[in-house]
Amino acid sequence: MKLAMIGLGKMGGNMTERLLRGGHQVVAYDRDADTVARHAKLGAAGAGSLADAVKQLGRGAARIVWVMVPAGKPVDDTIDELQPLMEEDDVIIDGGNSNFHDTIRRAAALQAHGVQLIDCGTSGGVWGLENGYCLMVGGEKRAVLRCEPVFKTLAPPLPAHGYSHVGPSGAGHYVKMVHNGIEYGLLQAYAEGYEILHASRDFPELDLHAIASLWQHGSVVRSWLNELSVRAFEKDPSLAQIRGWVADSGEGRWTVQEAMDLDVPAPVITLSLLSRFRSRQEDSFSAKVIAALRNEFGGHAVQKS
């Protein structure tokens, strides 16, 4: 198939390369001209603007434009610029981590012009180029089926099954949101476990790389995330070169808010999100308050900064 890829960052760039390997024709656009040129060398048709990208898709069959830009205003700006360039039955795919409420709104606005919006929650990270991506797709069924060859190329090859049409517009980003909320909890559990091992006074010589490797063989906690722990500890056994500052890109917050709106208790995901906030403080003021109060009521020692 022929499609345009808008945004050639770590995800969009690797997805473009995987599509080219799968025999698709890709018109590639990014604000950085050097990035476009690099993908043109891989076989993509480079575009100098959004208008140029749409123009290169030609006319006749419904055109497909995959948008891979940061969530929020960048997606709105890109869609606002694309909409006048597109025709009835053309398809825009938002493969980023958009809030599902925004997706529902955007889909309705585009539908008024006859343009279909597909939301594709995309998981797989930088490993997706070789291993394939898990694709959680929302949108109108006919439009999704039209784009299915693209999804099947990006997903892991058969017999693996890494692509599913999960529901109407917004459903793909909704499922991806909850997926990322679960990811927060898993990461926090691994982090706490390894910190306990690292802090052990009885067994100060524990080899975290060896333990992580051991757990990958028959253990109930074996996983791809733990496999990545093996790699991380192999590179830097004490993680001395990494600062403990952890960002959140939105999905954890949205998952916690959705749980609250639905009266669903989600303590693990919620606390894992709050732990990320704590990681960004050089010295927690709340911890200072606790230390001060313990000193006041019990004479407990405090450490001076």
Side-chain angles (χ1 to χ4, degrees), residues 29-103:
Y29 171 69
D30 190 276
R31 290 183 299 177
D32 183 72
D34 291 338
T35 301
V36 175
R38 187 166 64 250
H39 287 83
K41 290 180 180 179
L42 297 175
S49 65
L50 288 177
D52 184 29
V54 174
K55 182 179 179 180
Q56 289 194 52
L57 292 177
R59 295 180 178 275
R63 295 171 293 186
I64 301 170
V65 178
W66 192 304
V67 176
M68 212 64 190
V69 302
K73 189 174 185 299
V75 176
D76 278 322
D77 290 346
T78 302
I79 289 178
D80 286 347
E81 189 173 343
L82 282 172
Q83 184 272 311
L85 304 171
M86 306 195 77
E87 300 175 344
E88 189 169 352
D89 286 336
D90 285 350
V91 176
I92 297 174
I93 303 173
D94 178 6
N97 287 322
S98 291
N99 187 301
F100 75 96
H101 294 293
D102 290 336
T103 302

Side-chain angles (χ1 to χ4, degrees), residues 1 17 30 32 62 65 69 72 82 84 90 94 97 99 156 160 171 179-180 182 190 209 220 234 238 243 258 297 300:
M1 297 189 72
E17 186 171 347
D30 190 276
D32 183 72
V65 178
V69 302
L82 282 172
D90 285 350
D94 178 6
N97 287 322
N99 187 301
H179 163 284
N180 282 27
I182 293 170
Y190 280 120
H209 173 254
V220 296
E234 182 178 27
S238 63
R243 182 185 172 202
E258 181 69 2
F297 71 67
H300 299 287

Side-chain angles (χ1 to χ4, degrees), residues 9-284:
K10 291 180 180 178
M11 291 288 284
N14 281 352
M15 292 166 71
T16 295
E17 186 171 347
R18 186 172 175 89
L19 288 168
L20 291 169
R21 292 179 184 180
H24 297 275
Q25 300 177 61
V26 182
V27 179
Y29 171 69
D30 190 276
R31 290 183 299 177
D32 183 72
D34 291 338
T35 301
V36 175
R38 187 166 64 250
H39 287 83
K41 290 180 180 179
L42 297 175
S49 65
L50 288 177
D52 184 29
V54 174
K55 182 179 179 180
Q56 289 194 52
L57 292 177
R59 295 180 178 275
R63 295 171 293 186
I64 301 170
V65 178
W66 192 304
V67 176
M68 212 64 190
V69 302
K73 189 174 185 299
V75 176
D76 278 322
D77 290 346
T78 302
I79 289 178
D80 286 347
E81 189 173 343
L82 282 172
Q83 184 272 311
L85 304 171
M86 306 195 77
E87 300 175 344
E88 189 169 352
D89 286 336
D90 285 350
V91 176
I92 297 174
I93 303 173
D94 178 6
N97 287 322
S98 291
N99 187 301
F100 75 96
H101 294 293
D102 290 336
T103 302
I104 293 172
R105 168 181 58 80
R106 292 166 183 150
L110 286 170
Q111 182 62 57
H113 298 279
V115 178
Q116 296 293 330
L117 178 67
I118 292 176
D119 51 297
C120 183
T122 308
S123 181
V126 296
W127 298 84
L129 173 60
E130 301 299 336
N131 299 335
Y133 299 89
C134 176
L135 304 177
M136 297 149 265
V137 180
E140 190 267 332
K141 184 176 182 179
R142 186 168 62 94
V144 171
L145 288 175
R146 186 184 307 142
C147 300
E148 193 168 68
V150 173
F151 299 139
K152 287 185 174 179
T153 297
L154 289 172
L158 294 174
H161 184 61
Y163 144 65
S164 181
H165 182 200
V166 297
S169 296
H173 283 151
Y174 186 84
V175 173
K176 179 57 162 49
M177 175 190 75
V178 177
H179 163 284
N180 282 27
I182 293 170
E183 177 191 309
Y184 276 46
L186 291 172
L187 288 172
Q188 187 65 27
Y190 280 120
E192 292 174 8
Y194 283 118
E195 182 169 10
I196 293 169
L197 294 172
H198 181 67
S200 175
R201 288 191 291 268
D202 292 318
F203 308 102
E205 302 302 321
L206 289 175
D207 185 335
L208 299 190
H209 173 254
I211 293 168
S213 299
L214 170 66
W215 285 351
Q216 281 302 98
H217 300 281
S219 164
V220 296
V221 298
R222 67 186 184 275
S223 71
W224 183 57
L225 288 175
N226 191 60
E227 180 184 337
L228 297 181
S229 299
V230 176
R231 294 173 57 90
F233 289 130
E234 182 178 27
K235 295 175 183 176
D236 185 357
S238 63
L239 304 182
Q241 303 303 312
I242 299 176
R243 182 185 172 202
W245 193 101
V246 186
D248 73 288
S249 54
E251 299 88 340
R253 300 183 190 214
W254 303 337
T255 304
V256 170
Q257 183 62 57
E258 181 69 2
M260 294 169 62
D261 292 343
L262 297 175
D263 295 326
V264 173
V268 172
I269 295 174
T270 302
L271 289 175
S272 68
L273 172 65
L274 298 181
S275 293
R276 294 198 177 194
F277 298 157
R278 173 62 183 88
S279 78
R280 299 170 204 171
Q281 296 177 305
E282 292 292 343
D283 193 5
S284 169

